[in-house]
Amino acid sequence: MANIKPVFLTDAMIRKLKRPNRQLEEIRDTSTLILRNFPDGAKVFAWRFIDHHSGGKKQRIDYGSYPAISLEQARHIHGLMTAARKDGKDIMSNSVKVGRFAATFSPCIMEGFQ
């Protein structure tokens, strides 16, 4: 996947996205949130990062599918996760708490992606 300049995702932009012809397309938001656009029409919010709790492995967390998870909700979850990571928390655990907020989900872990 080519490195493309990040864009500021909007709900209208996501709704208008067409299915990619053959392979997964990733759109990077300016906040490091990723929208994964699949050929079958699925759209999934995600984040890729280097996980220092697992020896510096590349990881991916899928936050959820659009429109079940709105862009606003994905940004909120992403904010919680990035804040927790900055606080040194292991964000690959099943539950991360940041202040009075909590994000609980089953993370999708991918090793060796490009």
Side-chain angles (χ1 to χ4, degrees), residues 72-101:
E72 182 181 353
Q73 290 169 321
R75 283 201 170 120
H76 179 73
I77 293 167
H78 187 63
L80 292 173
M81 299 306 282
T82 55
R85 184 168 181 252
K86 285 179 185 175
D87 287 344
K89 296 183 180 168
D90 182 3
I91 60 174
M92 294 309 292
S93 66
N94 282 335
S95 180
V96 174
K97 294 181 181 177
V98 183
R100 61 188 175 109
F101 299 103

Side-chain angles (χ1 to χ4, degrees), residues 2 7 11-12 16 19 21 25 28 33 38-39 42 45 49 52-53 60 62-63 75 88-89 95 98 100 103 108 111:
V7 298
D11 195 55
K16 291 178 185 176
R19 295 177 180 194
N21 287 333
E25 176 181 84
R28 297 179 188 280
L33 179 68
F38 291 89
F45 293 108
F49 61 97
H52 301 292
H53 291 279
R60 185 187 81 227
D62 287 348
Y63 297 140
R75 283 201 170 120
K89 296 183 180 168
S95 180
V98 183
R100 61 188 175 109
C108 177
E111 297 178 24

Side-chain angles (χ1 to χ4, degrees), residues 22 45-46 61 71 74 86 96 114:
R22 294 184 181 207
F45 293 108
I61 295 177
L71 175 58
K86 285 179 185 175
V96 174
Q114 296 182 356

